[in-house]
Amino acid sequence: MSEYIEKEALRQFPIRKDHYDKENGDEHFIFGIEAVLEYAENLPAADVAPVVHGRWEQIKEWATKAKYRCSVCGREIMSAVKVNIEKYPYCHCGAKMDLEG
Ligand SMILES: [Zn+2]
């Protein structure tokens, strides 16, 4: 499974050529850090979108069924009284339904 990071988080690496212990620091080590960061800066961006998190909110309940609404887009679904979150882990809008109620 691929993992993604934000380039901006990498740019925040605390040891940089203009921010290190110049008395005890190793200049070659600093050049190495700068080379890796430059390499990462030039990598192409992956085609990914941030995960949107939501929850199913129960809006109506009958004896055996209930109506739930996506907290992100408002889409409504019918389900058994207790939504089995494993059965509907995502809404059609793409929201991952993992927020606690
Ligand atoms: Zn939705």
Side-chain angles (χ1 to χ4, degrees):
M1 185 175 139
S2 297
E3 293 181 286
Y4 302 94
I5 62 169
E6 292 185 26
K7 281 186 179 179
E8 186 54 36
L10 191 58
R11 288 184 196 113
Q12 300 299 319
F13 190 76
I15 302 170
R16 299 298 302 267
K17 66 183 175 200
D18 56 354
H19 188 259
Y20 75 100
D21 179 357
K22 290 182 172 53
E23 227 172 83
N24 302 308
D26 179 343
E27 202 175 56
H28 296 290
F29 176 72
I30 299 302
F31 288 152
I33 289 171
E34 292 298 326
V36 169
L37 291 175
E38 186 181 325
Y39 173 78
E41 192 66 45
N42 291 316
L43 289 173
D47 189 18
V48 295
V51 176
V52 175
H53 299 273
R55 74 173 69 82
W56 292 116
E57 299 168 336
Q58 186 173 321
I59 54 174
K60 244 181 194 172
E61 183 176 333
W62 297 272
T64 58
K65 290 192 171 258
K67 188 182 272 190
Y68 294 86
R69 179 186 300 142
C70 170
S71 64
V72 176
C73 72
R75 175 179 164 250
E76 296 178 358
I77 63 168
M78 295 291 288
S79 178
V81 170
K82 283 283 179 192
V83 165
N84 180 352
I85 197 141
E86 292 172 6
K87 190 174 177 186
Y88 304 102
Y90 291 90
C91 179
H92 288 183
C93 71
K96 187 175 184 181
M97 307 312 263
D98 60 354
L99 290 181
E100 296 297 321

